[in-house]
Amino acid sequence: MQSFDYMTPTRLIFGKGVVEKLPGVMTQFGKRILLTYGGGSIKKIGLYQKVLELLRGYEIVELPGIQPNPKYDPSVLDGVRLCKEHHIDVILSVGGGSVLDCSKAIAAGACYDGDPWDLISYKVKAKSALPIVDILTLAATGSEYDAGGVISRTETNDKIGYIDPLLYPAVSFLDPTYTFTVSRKQTCAGIADAMNHVMEQYFVEDATLLNDGFCESMLRSLMVNGRKCLENPEDYTARAEMMLACTYGCNGILALGNSGSGWPCHGIEHALSAYYDITHGEGLAIITPRWMKHILSERTLPRFVKYGINVFGIDASLDPWEIARKAIDETYKFFEGIGIPMHLREVGIDDSRLDEMAHHIAVNEWLENAYVPLTEKDIKEILVASL
Ligand code: NZQ
Ligand code: ZN
């Protein structure tokens, strides 16, 4: 078991109606709030109006229009400028992972005098960041409980996971009823994203029985409850369990004591989103089974056998290679069965830029240190198999 030094400082406030606690929570951070949100879903569900009502008496500056795969220019730059101009005390992010990720980059940029890209690109380490409170409306990324944000810079095709302990939200409000209106497409993408977060931590060299149990149970929960959310989008119990499972995804708790994995599917997917602006969870669902097939070997076989038996209930008396192949097929069939497009061509990606993307990934994502190291050639093969 590997040694670790771990802390997640985020306070989670979970359940129906918890937003009523917002005024009490916000008082500790100051009077001037930057309210960040996306393209308008929070207005449709009445949450925007509710927040303004609850925060009467606060000075609120708004940054609307944050897009999925949040963009450095204009959203991060505008947010940093607003924070500086209005001497903002705290950022309140209301929306999905993209709004929250963008808010994290703004929080650090607001306390830095230079170009915020210096921080996101790890040229300079942030010394401080504004506190962040969020009200999450989409279960997927785990950004509400982790220290990372993923920011896209269109002109360079970069999509960078910016991680710093300063970026943990101070408080995350998780009310599953706000996720009732999430579309079928985004619900599926959320299921696939959260499942892949678990897999990125499960497929490692050195794992514990304890972590394997958490991961296997989370995968089963996400499949069972994910299907229920799709059947009945207002099933509170299913939306609630899915939301909590997603929350555990990226804050490292599933991997304490494990060896590293390098998060290879994320490394590959971030380039797909950067080049083609596709939905993150869909990209992951397409890549994951192809990556699994690519890394299956004598060395990785026992992990796939365990995964197949404990997650999909495959007959343990079968030949190990048969179990492993069935497990990969079941993974594919689950994603396909809930309606995710399972080929890159279906999400608008053809073979014209595969070489360029494979090179970009190999240079920027350090996948030669992954659980199964991936060279540029490996990455290209996975992309070709995903077409
Ligand atoms: O923009 P609005 O109008 O709010 O609509 C959004 C958006 O169009 C909509 N939506 C959100 N809540 C809704 C809703 N629609 C109806 N009802 C609601 N309650 O859903 C669309 C997608 O939103 P987005 O925030 O982009 O989705 P998600 O939460 O999946 O975030 C994806 C981003 O997070 C990054 C991804 O790369 C991607 O950029 N990730 C962040 C991670 C992290 N911070 O730890 C880890 C992940 O691996 C991931 O990379
Ligand atoms: Zn993800």
Side-chain angles (χ1 to χ4, degrees):
M1 185 154 165
Q2 315 281 317
S3 306
F4 59 84
D5 180 340
Y6 178 81
M7 181 176 76
T8 301
T10 303
R11 174 179 170 195
L12 298 180
I13 308 182
F14 188 99
K16 199 183 272 184
V18 290
V19 75
E20 298 295 340
K21 292 189 179 173
L22 186 65
V25 163
M26 294 307 279
T27 49
Q28 62 190 298
F29 299 110
K31 277 280 168 204
R32 290 178 300 268
I33 299 173
L34 180 72
L35 173 62
T36 54
Y37 54 97
S41 68
I42 66 161
K43 292 188 175 167
K44 285 192 199 128
I45 64 175
L47 181 55
Y48 170 81
Q49 295 80 345
K50 178 81 188 170
V51 166
L52 291 188
E53 244 169 63
L54 288 168
L55 297 181
R56 222 175 266 135
Y58 282 83
E59 191 185 314
I60 297 182
V61 177
E62 297 189 22
L63 177 68
I66 296 173
Q67 294 169 7
N69 299 324
K71 312 295 180 285
Y72 178 67
D73 187 2
S75 295
V76 174
L77 291 175
D78 283 349
V80 168
R81 181 178 46 75
L82 288 172
C83 287
K84 289 181 176 173
E85 272 171 22
H86 296 273
H87 306 287
I88 292 295
D89 298 312
V90 54
I91 301 177
L92 176 60
S93 160
V94 186
S98 292
V99 175
L100 182 48
D101 283 7
C102 186
S103 303
K104 290 178 176 179
I106 294 169
C111 301
Y112 175 65
D113 286 336
D115 181 350
W117 193 253
D118 294 345
L119 307 172
I120 297 165
S121 61
Y122 299 99
K123 202 170 122 197
V124 176
K125 163 87 180 79
K127 292 202 174 73
S128 62
L130 292 177
I132 301 162
V133 175
D134 66 90
I135 305 172
L136 194 73
T137 63
L138 195 163
T141 63
S143 187
E144 65 275 18
Y145 205 32
D146 73 31
V150 189
I151 302 297
S152 295
R153 192 161 189 181
T154 314
E155 68 273 23
T156 51
N157 294 313
D158 277 312
K159 185 170 181 192
I160 295 187
Y162 172 38
I163 301 171
D164 188 308
L166 293 167
L167 304 182
Y168 279 106
V171 184
S172 290
F173 286 89
L174 306 174
D175 182 338
T177 64
Y178 293 140
T179 67
F180 286 176
T181 52
V182 174
S183 66
R184 188 176 178 91
K185 174 188 167 83
Q186 291 295 340
T187 301
C188 287
I191 296 165
D193 188 18
M195 285 179 67
N196 188 267
H197 295 158
V198 179
M199 293 174 194
E200 299 274 38
Q201 297 168 88
Y202 185 84
F203 287 97
V204 293
E205 190 66 41
D206 199 4
T208 64
L209 190 57
L210 181 68
N211 290 343
D212 283 354
F214 279 136
C215 288
E216 289 156 2
S217 157
M218 274 187 60
L219 289 169
R220 290 196 303 270
S221 164
L222 283 162
M223 288 193 286
V224 168
N225 289 295
R227 279 203 190 96
K228 286 185 183 169
C229 294
L230 294 169
E231 274 158 27
N232 175 11
E234 302 199 5
D235 179 336
Y236 179 83
T237 310
R239 287 284 193 189
E241 193 164 326
M242 178 172 160
M243 195 172 211
L244 192 55
C246 290
T247 296
Y248 292 139
C250 286
N251 80 347
I253 198 158
L254 300 173
L256 293 180
N258 284 5
S259 54
S261 96
W263 287 61
C265 294
H266 274 70
I268 297 173
E269 197 296 315
H270 283 165
L272 300 181
S273 302
Y275 278 70
Y276 290 93
D277 214 358
I278 65 165
T279 301
H280 173 64
E282 290 184 349
L284 286 174
I286 296 169
I287 294 296
T288 303
R290 278 72 182 217
W291 164 77
M292 287 177 159
K293 267 193 188 145
H294 192 88
I295 68 155
L296 180 59
S297 68
E298 285 288 352
R299 176 185 155 223
T300 61
L301 182 63
R303 294 306 286 159
F304 281 99
V305 169
K306 190 166 194 202
Y307 169 71
I309 294 169
N310 293 343
V311 176
F312 292 106
I314 297 171
D315 180 355
S317 67
L318 294 174
D319 173 71
W321 285 94
E322 195 181 344
I323 296 173
R325 290 198 185 101
K326 268 184 190 285
I328 298 173
D329 283 350
E330 290 294 333
T331 308
Y332 185 97
K333 280 197 251 163
F334 172 76
F335 292 141
E336 188 183 43
I338 59 173
I340 298 183
M342 288 303 289
H343 293 271
L344 291 179
R345 290 189 199 279
E346 292 176 69
V347 295
I349 301 179
D350 61 17
D351 61 2
S352 59
R353 302 184 79 183
L354 296 191
D355 284 320
E356 192 186 340
M357 287 196 292
H359 182 69
H360 185 94
I361 295 162
V363 170
N364 291 292
E365 297 287 347
W366 311 293
L367 295 186
E368 67 276 14
N369 295 324
Y371 161 52
V372 174
L374 298 179
T375 62
E376 188 171 327
K377 182 168 166 286
D378 293 308
I379 295 163
K380 170 85 187 290
E381 283 171 16
I382 292 169
L383 291 174
V384 169
S386 305
L387 273 172

